[in-house]
Amino acid sequence: MVARITIDEQNFIKNAKNVIKDNKVMAVVKNDAYHFGLEFAVKSFIQAGIQSFSTTSLHEAVRIREIDKQVNIFLMNPSIEFETLKAHNIAMTLPSLTFYHEHLEDLAGVKLHLELENLLHRSGLKDQDEMLQVLKHNENLPIAEQAIIEGIWTHFGYADEFGGDEYETERQAWIDCLSFILDHGYAFKFIHAQNSASYVREDGLFNQHTHARLGIILYGSRPYSTLPTTLTEQNFTVTANVIQVRPIKKGETCGYSFQYTADKDCNIAVVDIGYGDGILKTRAKHDALINQKRYPIRGLMMSHMFVEVDDTIQSGDQVVMYSNDIRIDEFTFKGVGANSEQISALNHHSLIKEIR
Ligand SMILES: *Cc1c(COP(=O)(O)O)cnc(C)c1O
């Protein structure tokens, strides 16, 4: 009996295929592929037909190249390890005009995607004029000194927000900027902007774009709450076990510092998973699934949890914390934390990880 994460590989691949349909997709595999494991995710996505990958760290980009010699790799953060980028055929964002001028000589032969800063203000060129300035400056250099500007992109910070008009604003700013640059006669092998939320909202890929840059929806969670669960299937489970069931009387307490005081005589199941395994405190305000029925969690400790159960539950019963019937995204929309936050918290060193 041990708590574990189980990933269903074939269903994971099948789900990715269903999500991408006929669209070209760049899979975001940052942070060890949303904690699914970089190698597992890259290989699975390749089987689902994806040929382009992006991440935020150079060491992950290099690992992707070690997994596959052919795929396109895009580094969303800047790096000044230009030789490593070239040696592994990794393209990189251009994070600012200052960066371009500062590293002009070293950028020779480096593949770049021009980034538009937009509302997120995290990185990128300020506007279309800065983009044009870089393009013109670069094309006037001798060929051997030129950067290879093969892409143009932006990131939407508000695609999963409804109610305000921020998404419309950032979307329009991007479309205007892109049209301006394309109207000046420039062409790009990679034009990408949409994350999962934008991809779903727009019902597929924008015109003129070569790729949607998808993360969370490929891993089985909905990017916002009004979508049906059929949109994407969660193909991993986090399960634990009932170690024992203990009757407690009305008024008795359980857990450290009187975490829970029973308001009636009840049965408390002691379960072998806790915050040390990555179960968030906010998640423990909700239910666990035992034998197809939901029961309230009453206390969370480092390696244990208390769940209030009925007479049908016995030691040895399996306790499901996450599955396609009790999904990560359900708790996201209940305010537990972002999809990626719940997934990232899981402790892959204490839980047994199984791919089947
Ligand atoms: C994480 C990330 C994505 C993917 O976002 P999802 O909402 O998971 O689809 C896309 N682009 C950038 C720049 C990111 O950092």
Side-chain angles (χ1 to χ4, degrees):
M1 280 205 315
V2 59
R4 58 179 76 227
I5 300 180
T6 312
I7 306 177
D8 185 323
E9 186 171 9
Q10 287 314 312
N11 284 339
F12 183 88
I13 295 168
K14 199 163 78 185
N15 185 58
K17 280 188 190 161
N18 288 341
V19 166
I20 65 187
K21 300 189 186 82
D22 298 332
N23 296 299
K24 267 177 122 185
V25 161
M26 181 185 286
V28 179
V29 291
K30 65 192 178 196
N31 293 90
D32 202 31
Y34 288 51
H35 218 168
F36 277 71
L38 190 65
E39 186 165 348
F40 164 79
V42 168
K43 288 183 171 168
S44 299
F45 290 148
I46 289 174
Q47 285 194 56
I50 294 176
Q51 281 297 309
S52 302
F53 293 88
S54 58
T55 182
T56 44
S57 78
L58 182 60
H59 73 87
E60 284 190 338
V62 170
R63 274 178 61 209
I64 299 169
R65 180 56 73 224
E66 284 160 0
I67 295 165
D68 191 282
K69 294 280 161 264
Q70 307 293 325
V71 293
N72 306 304
I73 305 173
F74 173 58
L75 182 61
M76 301 188 285
N77 278 349
S79 165
I80 55 168
E81 294 184 43
F82 302 104
E83 292 311 316
T84 307
L85 291 166
K86 284 189 283 190
H88 294 87
N89 189 19
I90 295 165
M92 179 184 80
T93 189
L94 181 63
S96 70
L97 192 58
T98 316
F99 186 98
Y100 176 73
H101 287 298
E102 245 170 42
H103 299 287
L104 198 53
E105 283 173 24
D106 290 326
L107 285 171
V110 174
K111 290 183 172 177
L112 292 179
H113 293 203
L114 302 181
E115 177 178 3
L116 178 69
E117 169 178 315
N118 226 326
L119 291 193
L120 197 60
H121 298 295
R122 189 163 69 184
S123 175
L125 297 157
K126 288 280 171 202
D127 53 31
Q128 58 199 33
D129 297 326
E130 283 196 2
M131 285 198 170
L132 198 58
Q133 205 177 315
V134 171
L135 287 162
K136 283 196 182 319
H137 186 274
N138 188 62
E139 71 192 3
N140 285 323
L141 295 171
I143 299 269
E145 294 173 23
Q146 290 181 8
I148 302 162
I149 303 180
E150 62 167 17
I152 184 166
W153 74 296
T154 195
H155 184 43
F156 298 133
Y158 293 89
D160 58 352
E161 304 270 349
F162 293 82
D165 52 8
E166 290 84 0
Y167 175 63
E168 290 308 318
T169 306
E170 62 187 354
R171 177 188 190 279
Q172 198 56 49
W174 163 245
I175 299 290
D176 291 346
C177 171
L178 180 63
S179 307
F180 176 87
I181 298 295
L182 296 180
D183 287 348
H184 277 77
Y186 294 98
F188 303 90
K189 201 169 148 199
F190 300 93
I191 303 178
H192 50 106
Q194 296 171 271
N195 59 2
S196 299
S198 170
Y199 176 72
V200 178
R201 261 178 108 142
E202 308 286 349
D203 202 19
L205 202 55
F206 284 146
N207 281 340
Q208 294 182 309
H209 287 57
T210 63
H211 294 79
R213 203 177 53 251
L214 304 183
I216 198 65
I217 194 174
L218 292 174
Y219 300 96
S221 294
R222 290 167 291 168
Y224 53 88
S225 66
T226 51
L227 301 166
T229 50
T230 48
L231 180 77
T232 183
E233 201 173 279
Q234 184 186 310
N235 287 300
F236 84 99
T237 62
V238 177
T239 56
N241 312 277
V242 175
I243 300 172
Q244 48 174 304
V245 179
R246 305 178 71 88
I248 66 167
K249 297 220 174 311
K250 181 180 175 184
E252 286 185 332
T253 57
C254 60
Y256 295 106
S257 312
F258 315 110
Q259 266 187 30
Y260 179 63
T261 307
D263 56 9
K264 56 180 185 312
D265 292 359
C266 63
N267 287 332
I268 291 288
V270 183
V271 178
D272 62 353
I273 195 168
Y275 62 76
D277 302 297
I279 302 303
L280 298 178
K281 202 152 70 174
T282 44
R283 171 68 184 82
K285 293 188 197 311
H286 301 277
D287 297 341
L289 188 66
I290 312 176
N291 303 338
Q292 323 299 332
K293 197 176 153 194
R294 293 198 181 210
Y295 296 94
I297 300 170
R298 295 303 190 194
L300 181 71
M301 291 147 281
M302 186 164 174
S303 42
H304 297 99
M305 214 172 62
F306 288 131
V307 180
E308 186 179 334
V309 295
D310 56 29
D311 291 337
T312 66
I313 303 303
Q314 300 173 342
S315 72
D317 284 348
Q318 190 183 62
V319 180
V320 183
M321 294 304 293
Y322 290 118
S323 74
N324 200 44
D325 297 320
I326 183 163
R327 293 169 47 138
I328 294 272
D329 53 17
E330 170 190 332
F331 297 103
T332 302
F333 308 139
K334 285 178 172 163
V336 165
N339 289 315
S340 52
E341 204 176 331
Q342 293 177 73
I343 298 169
S344 300
L346 297 171
N347 186 346
H348 287 222
H349 295 289
S350 65
L351 296 163
I352 300 286
K353 185 172 176 183
E354 209 174 36
I355 296 176
R356 52 172 184 226

